[in-house]
Amino acid sequence: MSTIGPAGAPAAEGRADALDSGSGPRSVHRALELLTIVVESGPQPLTELARASGLPTSTTLRSLRALEHWGYVARATDGGYVAGHRFARSRFDAEPASAEQLFERSGEVLQRLTERSGESSYLTVRGPGRSCIYLREVQSDQPIRHVGFAGWAGRTVQMDGSAVGAVLDGETPHAGFVTLGAVSAPDATVIAAPVLDNEGAIVAAISIVGPSFRMGEDRVQSLGGLVRDHAQNLTEALRSERSAPAASGADPR
């Protein structure tokens, strides 16, 4: 946590100046402190990060750009800074269904989902605070698709009000999928379904996004079933991968 100085601002500069040469460059400590603030406090705008760290805005921006370059922070849709995809993947390494497993296993599943649905598909995991992080995507090759959602792998967005957020919050109805208008694009529709681990905990969401004019009620029901089924396929793939080592080490007697 940051130390508060007499004026009420964190004494980051004083702490950095007090570091001896064996502690590493002050710029590294500044960047790590900013990353810590983002991870512990959730999405933050540049001005708030500068205030919380006690750094000049220009210094804060340079440090954030370095962290963004390496994927440890990213820009949210509202312009604030959030934890990036590389931090998200490292965060899941100790979990039952790691980010690496999710990433590797999801490629074929998303490809099949995009081919069968005709819409772009995505894999999303929970980020820090009320955010979610897009780990992977497969774009549709249809001439008319929602291009505003291209290049989302690695992006962090707010969960609230979104189909993916509802899924990650455990609010999926009995039908097995959630359908909502896209938060960032009123003319797009998102259909999402949960991916589970061995214990039934939600570890990710699979979703598709397409132009709302293609998303009539009948098609939504059909596509919702596809998304749900492909999310279940990924769930089964993750579970089989986790159970394989246990089976190989079982007592043969």
Side-chain angles (χ1 to χ4, degrees), residues 44-88:
Q44 300 283 325
L46 172 62
T47 53
E48 181 60 26
L49 286 170
R51 187 204 65 77
S53 64
L55 295 171
T57 301
S58 58
T59 302
T60 303
L61 181 58
R62 287 197 298 272
S63 297
L64 289 169
R65 282 175 174 169
L67 290 168
E68 188 175 8
H69 172 79
W70 288 100
Y72 286 99
V73 301
R75 299 294 294 276
T77 53
D78 62 1
Y81 286 88
V82 294
H85 71 283
R86 183 161 291 170
F87 179 84

Short mmCIF file of all heavy atoms in Angstrom, two decimals, residues 44-88:
data_model
loop_
_atom_site.label_atom_id
_atom_site.label_comp_id
_atom_site.label_asym_id
_atom_site.label_seq_id
_atom_site.Cartn_x
_atom_site.Cartn_y
_atom_site.Cartn_z
N GLN A 44 -8.56 2.48 -13.38
CA GLN A 44 -8.23 3.82 -12.90
C GLN A 44 -7.87 4.72 -14.08
O GLN A 44 -7.13 4.30 -14.97
CB GLN A 44 -7.03 3.78 -11.94
CG GLN A 44 -7.22 2.94 -10.70
CD GLN A 44 -8.08 3.64 -9.67
OE1 GLN A 44 -8.02 4.86 -9.53
NE2 GLN A 44 -8.88 2.87 -8.96
N PRO A 45 -8.33 5.96 -14.10
CA PRO A 45 -7.89 6.89 -15.13
C PRO A 45 -6.46 7.37 -14.86
O PRO A 45 -5.95 7.25 -13.73
CB PRO A 45 -8.89 8.04 -15.01
CG PRO A 45 -9.33 8.00 -13.59
CD PRO A 45 -9.34 6.55 -13.20
N LEU A 46 -5.85 7.93 -15.86
CA LEU A 46 -4.47 8.41 -15.73
C LEU A 46 -4.32 9.39 -14.59
O LEU A 46 -3.39 9.30 -13.78
CB LEU A 46 -4.03 9.05 -17.05
CG LEU A 46 -2.68 9.78 -17.04
CD1 LEU A 46 -1.54 8.82 -16.73
CD2 LEU A 46 -2.45 10.47 -18.39
N THR A 47 -5.23 10.35 -14.49
CA THR A 47 -5.11 11.39 -13.46
C THR A 47 -5.17 10.79 -12.06
O THR A 47 -4.44 11.22 -11.16
CB THR A 47 -6.22 12.44 -13.63
OG1 THR A 47 -7.50 11.79 -13.68
CG2 THR A 47 -6.01 13.24 -14.91
N GLU A 48 -6.04 9.80 -11.85
CA GLU A 48 -6.15 9.18 -10.54
C GLU A 48 -4.91 8.35 -10.21
O GLU A 48 -4.45 8.32 -9.07
CB GLU A 48 -7.41 8.30 -10.49
CG GLU A 48 -7.64 7.63 -9.14
CD GLU A 48 -7.80 8.61 -8.00
OE1 GLU A 48 -8.21 9.76 -8.25
OE2 GLU A 48 -7.50 8.23 -6.84
N LEU A 49 -4.35 7.68 -11.21
CA LEU A 49 -3.13 6.91 -10.99
C LEU A 49 -1.96 7.83 -10.64
O LEU A 49 -1.14 7.50 -9.78
CB LEU A 49 -2.80 6.08 -12.23
CG LEU A 49 -3.68 4.84 -12.43
CD1 LEU A 49 -3.45 4.23 -13.81
CD2 LEU A 49 -3.41 3.80 -11.35
N ALA A 50 -1.90 8.97 -11.30
CA ALA A 50 -0.85 9.94 -10.97
C ALA A 50 -1.03 10.44 -9.54
O ALA A 50 -0.05 10.56 -8.77
CB ALA A 50 -0.89 11.11 -11.96
N ARG A 51 -2.26 10.74 -9.15
CA ARG A 51 -2.51 11.23 -7.79
C ARG A 51 -2.19 10.15 -6.76
O ARG A 51 -1.55 10.40 -5.75
CB ARG A 51 -3.98 11.64 -7.66
CG ARG A 51 -4.30 12.32 -6.31
CD ARG A 51 -5.76 12.19 -5.96
NE ARG A 51 -6.14 10.81 -5.73
CZ ARG A 51 -5.86 10.13 -4.61
NH1 ARG A 51 -5.18 10.71 -3.63
NH2 ARG A 51 -6.25 8.88 -4.47
N ALA A 52 -2.65 8.90 -7.03
CA ALA A 52 -2.46 7.82 -6.06
C ALA A 52 -0.99 7.45 -5.88
O ALA A 52 -0.58 7.04 -4.79
CB ALA A 52 -3.26 6.60 -6.50
N SER A 53 -0.21 7.59 -6.93
CA SER A 53 1.22 7.23 -6.86
C SER A 53 2.10 8.39 -6.45
O SER A 53 3.27 8.21 -6.10
CB SER A 53 1.69 6.69 -8.21
OG SER A 53 1.60 7.69 -9.21
N GLY A 54 1.56 9.62 -6.51
CA GLY A 54 2.36 10.79 -6.19
C GLY A 54 3.36 11.15 -7.28
O GLY A 54 4.29 11.93 -7.04
N LEU A 55 3.16 10.61 -8.48
CA LEU A 55 4.07 10.88 -9.60
C LEU A 55 3.51 11.96 -10.51
O LEU A 55 2.28 12.11 -10.61
CB LEU A 55 4.27 9.60 -10.42
CG LEU A 55 4.96 8.43 -9.73
CD1 LEU A 55 4.87 7.19 -10.61
CD2 LEU A 55 6.42 8.77 -9.43
N PRO A 56 4.37 12.71 -11.21
CA PRO A 56 3.88 13.63 -12.23
C PRO A 56 3.11 12.86 -13.30
O PRO A 56 3.40 11.70 -13.57
CB PRO A 56 5.17 14.24 -12.80
CG PRO A 56 6.20 14.03 -11.75
CD PRO A 56 5.85 12.74 -11.08
N THR A 57 2.15 13.51 -13.90
CA THR A 57 1.33 12.85 -14.92
C THR A 57 2.17 12.33 -16.07
O THR A 57 1.93 11.22 -16.58
CB THR A 57 0.26 13.82 -15.46
OG1 THR A 57 -0.55 14.28 -14.38
CG2 THR A 57 -0.63 13.14 -16.48
N SER A 58 3.18 13.10 -16.48
CA SER A 58 4.03 12.67 -17.60
C SER A 58 4.81 11.41 -17.25
O SER A 58 4.95 10.50 -18.07
CB SER A 58 4.99 13.80 -18.00
OG SER A 58 5.80 14.17 -16.90
N THR A 59 5.32 11.34 -16.02
CA THR A 59 6.05 10.14 -15.57
C THR A 59 5.12 8.95 -15.48
O THR A 59 5.45 7.83 -15.89
CB THR A 59 6.69 10.40 -14.20
OG1 THR A 59 7.56 11.53 -14.29
CG2 THR A 59 7.50 9.19 -13.73
N THR A 60 3.92 9.18 -14.95
CA THR A 60 2.92 8.12 -14.85
C THR A 60 2.58 7.57 -16.23
O THR A 60 2.51 6.35 -16.43
CB THR A 60 1.65 8.65 -14.18
OG1 THR A 60 1.97 9.18 -12.90
CG2 THR A 60 0.61 7.56 -14.03
N LEU A 61 2.39 8.45 -17.20
CA LEU A 61 2.03 8.03 -18.56
C LEU A 61 3.15 7.20 -19.18
O LEU A 61 2.89 6.18 -19.82
CB LEU A 61 1.72 9.24 -19.42
CG LEU A 61 1.30 8.94 -20.86
CD1 LEU A 61 0.06 8.06 -20.90
CD2 LEU A 61 1.04 10.25 -21.62
N ARG A 62 4.40 7.61 -19.00
CA ARG A 62 5.52 6.84 -19.55
C ARG A 62 5.58 5.44 -18.95
O ARG A 62 5.79 4.44 -19.67
CB ARG A 62 6.84 7.57 -19.32
CG ARG A 62 7.05 8.79 -20.19
CD ARG A 62 8.51 9.22 -20.20
NE ARG A 62 8.97 9.59 -18.86
CZ ARG A 62 8.87 10.81 -18.34
NH1 ARG A 62 8.31 11.77 -19.06
NH2 ARG A 62 9.32 11.08 -17.14
N SER A 63 5.37 5.34 -17.65
CA SER A 63 5.41 4.03 -17.00
C SER A 63 4.25 3.15 -17.48
O SER A 63 4.42 1.95 -17.72
CB SER A 63 5.34 4.21 -15.48
OG SER A 63 6.46 4.90 -14.99
N LEU A 64 3.07 3.75 -17.61
CA LEU A 64 1.91 2.99 -18.08
C LEU A 64 2.10 2.51 -19.52
O LEU A 64 1.68 1.41 -19.87
CB LEU A 64 0.65 3.85 -17.97
CG LEU A 64 0.16 4.11 -16.54
CD1 LEU A 64 -0.93 5.17 -16.55
CD2 LEU A 64 -0.36 2.82 -15.90
N ARG A 65 2.73 3.34 -20.34
CA ARG A 65 2.98 2.92 -21.73
C ARG A 65 3.90 1.72 -21.78
O ARG A 65 3.74 0.83 -22.62
CB ARG A 65 3.55 4.10 -22.53
CG ARG A 65 2.50 5.12 -22.94
CD ARG A 65 3.12 6.32 -23.61
NE ARG A 65 2.08 7.23 -24.13
CZ ARG A 65 2.33 8.45 -24.57
NH1 ARG A 65 3.57 8.94 -24.57
NH2 ARG A 65 1.34 9.21 -25.02
N ALA A 66 4.91 1.69 -20.89
CA ALA A 66 5.81 0.54 -20.83
C ALA A 66 5.05 -0.71 -20.39
O ALA A 66 5.20 -1.79 -20.99
CB ALA A 66 6.97 0.82 -19.88
N LEU A 67 4.22 -0.57 -19.36
CA LEU A 67 3.42 -1.71 -18.90
C LEU A 67 2.44 -2.17 -19.96
O LEU A 67 2.19 -3.37 -20.13
CB LEU A 67 2.67 -1.32 -17.62
CG LEU A 67 3.52 -1.13 -16.36
CD1 LEU A 67 2.69 -0.48 -15.27
CD2 LEU A 67 4.08 -2.46 -15.88
N GLU A 68 1.87 -1.21 -20.69
CA GLU A 68 0.93 -1.55 -21.76
C GLU A 68 1.63 -2.27 -22.90
O GLU A 68 1.10 -3.23 -23.48
CB GLU A 68 0.25 -0.28 -22.27
CG GLU A 68 -0.89 -0.53 -23.24
CD GLU A 68 -1.61 0.75 -23.62
OE1 GLU A 68 -1.15 1.85 -23.26
OE2 GLU A 68 -2.66 0.64 -24.29
N HIS A 69 2.84 -1.84 -23.22
CA HIS A 69 3.62 -2.48 -24.29
C HIS A 69 3.85 -3.97 -24.00
O HIS A 69 3.77 -4.81 -24.90
CB HIS A 69 4.97 -1.77 -24.45
CG HIS A 69 5.91 -2.47 -25.40
ND1 HIS A 69 5.80 -2.37 -26.77
CD2 HIS A 69 6.96 -3.30 -25.16
CE1 HIS A 69 6.74 -3.11 -27.35
NE2 HIS A 69 7.46 -3.67 -26.39
N TRP A 70 4.10 -4.29 -22.72
CA TRP A 70 4.37 -5.67 -22.35
C TRP A 70 3.11 -6.44 -21.96
O TRP A 70 3.18 -7.61 -21.59
CB TRP A 70 5.38 -5.71 -21.19
CG TRP A 70 6.75 -5.33 -21.66
CD1 TRP A 70 7.38 -4.13 -21.53
CD2 TRP A 70 7.66 -6.17 -22.38
NE1 TRP A 70 8.61 -4.17 -22.12
CE2 TRP A 70 8.82 -5.41 -22.65
CE3 TRP A 70 7.61 -7.49 -22.83
CZ2 TRP A 70 9.90 -5.92 -23.34
CZ3 TRP A 70 8.70 -8.01 -23.52
CH2 TRP A 70 9.82 -7.22 -23.76
N GLY A 71 1.94 -5.81 -22.06
CA GLY A 71 0.69 -6.51 -21.82
C GLY A 71 0.28 -6.63 -20.37
O GLY A 71 -0.64 -7.39 -20.06
N TYR A 72 0.92 -5.85 -19.47
CA TYR A 72 0.56 -5.94 -18.06
C TYR A 72 -0.54 -4.97 -17.67
O TYR A 72 -1.21 -5.15 -16.65
CB TYR A 72 1.79 -5.74 -17.18
CG TYR A 72 2.68 -6.96 -17.20
CD1 TYR A 72 3.80 -7.01 -18.02
CD2 TYR A 72 2.36 -8.08 -16.45
CE1 TYR A 72 4.60 -8.15 -18.08
CE2 TYR A 72 3.15 -9.21 -16.49
CZ TYR A 72 4.27 -9.24 -17.30
OH TYR A 72 5.04 -10.38 -17.37
N VAL A 73 -0.75 -3.92 -18.44
CA VAL A 73 -1.94 -3.09 -18.30
C VAL A 73 -2.52 -2.87 -19.70
O VAL A 73 -1.85 -3.10 -20.71
CB VAL A 73 -1.67 -1.72 -17.62
CG1 VAL A 73 -1.08 -1.90 -16.23
CG2 VAL A 73 -0.80 -0.82 -18.50
N ALA A 74 -3.77 -2.44 -19.74
CA ALA A 74 -4.43 -2.17 -21.01
C ALA A 74 -5.42 -1.03 -20.79
O ALA A 74 -5.73 -0.67 -19.64
CB ALA A 74 -5.15 -3.41 -21.53
N ARG A 75 -5.89 -0.43 -21.88
CA ARG A 75 -6.87 0.63 -21.80
C ARG A 75 -8.27 0.04 -21.88
O ARG A 75 -8.58 -0.73 -22.78
CB ARG A 75 -6.67 1.64 -22.94
CG ARG A 75 -5.32 2.33 -22.93
CD ARG A 75 -5.15 3.23 -21.72
NE ARG A 75 -6.06 4.36 -21.73
CZ ARG A 75 -5.81 5.50 -22.39
NH1 ARG A 75 -4.70 5.65 -23.07
NH2 ARG A 75 -6.69 6.49 -22.34
N ALA A 76 -9.11 0.41 -20.93
CA ALA A 76 -10.51 -0.01 -20.95
C ALA A 76 -11.28 0.86 -21.93
O ALA A 76 -10.75 1.85 -22.46
CB ALA A 76 -11.11 0.10 -19.55
N THR A 77 -12.53 0.49 -22.18
CA THR A 77 -13.33 1.23 -23.15
C THR A 77 -13.58 2.67 -22.72
O THR A 77 -13.82 3.54 -23.56
CB THR A 77 -14.68 0.52 -23.37
OG1 THR A 77 -15.31 0.30 -22.11
CG2 THR A 77 -14.46 -0.82 -24.05
N ASP A 78 -13.52 2.94 -21.41
CA ASP A 78 -13.74 4.30 -20.93
C ASP A 78 -12.45 5.10 -20.82
O ASP A 78 -12.44 6.22 -20.33
CB ASP A 78 -14.45 4.29 -19.56
CG ASP A 78 -13.62 3.59 -18.48
OD1 ASP A 78 -12.50 3.12 -18.79
OD2 ASP A 78 -14.10 3.52 -17.33
N GLY A 79 -11.33 4.52 -21.29
CA GLY A 79 -10.05 5.21 -21.27
C GLY A 79 -9.22 4.95 -20.05
O GLY A 79 -8.04 5.33 -20.00
N GLY A 80 -9.80 4.31 -19.02
CA GLY A 80 -9.03 4.01 -17.81
C GLY A 80 -8.07 2.85 -18.05
O GLY A 80 -8.13 2.16 -19.06
N TYR A 81 -7.17 2.67 -17.08
CA TYR A 81 -6.17 1.60 -17.17
C TYR A 81 -6.60 0.42 -16.31
O TYR A 81 -7.04 0.59 -15.17
CB TYR A 81 -4.80 2.10 -16.73
CG TYR A 81 -4.15 3.00 -17.76
CD1 TYR A 81 -4.41 4.37 -17.75
CD2 TYR A 81 -3.31 2.49 -18.75
CE1 TYR A 81 -3.83 5.21 -18.70
CE2 TYR A 81 -2.74 3.32 -19.70
CZ TYR A 81 -3.00 4.67 -19.68
OH TYR A 81 -2.45 5.49 -20.62
N VAL A 82 -6.46 -0.78 -16.88
CA VAL A 82 -6.84 -2.01 -16.20
C VAL A 82 -5.72 -3.03 -16.40
O VAL A 82 -4.82 -2.83 -17.21
CB VAL A 82 -8.17 -2.57 -16.77
CG1 VAL A 82 -9.33 -1.65 -16.48
CG2 VAL A 82 -8.04 -2.79 -18.28
N ALA A 83 -5.79 -4.13 -15.66
CA ALA A 83 -4.80 -5.19 -15.83
C ALA A 83 -4.90 -5.77 -17.23
O ALA A 83 -5.99 -5.98 -17.76
CB ALA A 83 -5.01 -6.28 -14.78
N GLY A 84 -3.76 -6.05 -17.85
CA GLY A 84 -3.73 -6.52 -19.23
C GLY A 84 -3.77 -8.03 -19.35
O GLY A 84 -3.79 -8.77 -18.36
N HIS A 85 -3.73 -8.50 -20.61
CA HIS A 85 -3.90 -9.93 -20.87
C HIS A 85 -2.76 -10.76 -20.31
O HIS A 85 -2.96 -11.88 -19.85
CB HIS A 85 -4.03 -10.18 -22.38
CG HIS A 85 -2.77 -9.96 -23.15
ND1 HIS A 85 -2.29 -8.70 -23.48
CD2 HIS A 85 -1.87 -10.84 -23.65
CE1 HIS A 85 -1.16 -8.83 -24.16
NE2 HIS A 85 -0.89 -10.10 -24.26
N ARG A 86 -1.52 -10.23 -20.32
CA ARG A 86 -0.40 -11.03 -19.81
C ARG A 86 -0.51 -11.22 -18.30
O ARG A 86 -0.25 -12.30 -17.78
CB ARG A 86 0.93 -10.37 -20.16
CG ARG A 86 2.14 -11.17 -19.73
CD ARG A 86 3.39 -10.74 -20.46
NE ARG A 86 3.34 -11.12 -21.86
CZ ARG A 86 4.22 -10.71 -22.77
NH1 ARG A 86 5.20 -9.90 -22.44
NH2 ARG A 86 4.11 -11.08 -24.02
N PHE A 87 -0.96 -10.16 -17.62
CA PHE A 87 -1.18 -10.30 -16.18
C PHE A 87 -2.30 -11.29 -15.93
O PHE A 87 -2.24 -12.11 -15.02
CB PHE A 87 -1.52 -8.95 -15.55
CG PHE A 87 -1.79 -9.03 -14.08
CD1 PHE A 87 -0.74 -9.01 -13.18
CD2 PHE A 87 -3.08 -9.16 -13.61
CE1 PHE A 87 -0.98 -9.13 -11.83
CE2 PHE A 87 -3.33 -9.28 -12.26
CZ PHE A 87 -2.28 -9.26 -11.36
N ALA A 88 -3.35 -11.22 -16.75
CA ALA A 88 -4.48 -12.14 -16.56
C ALA A 88 -4.05 -13.58 -16.73
O ALA A 88 -4.44 -14.46 -15.96
CB ALA A 88 -5.58 -11.80 -17.55
#
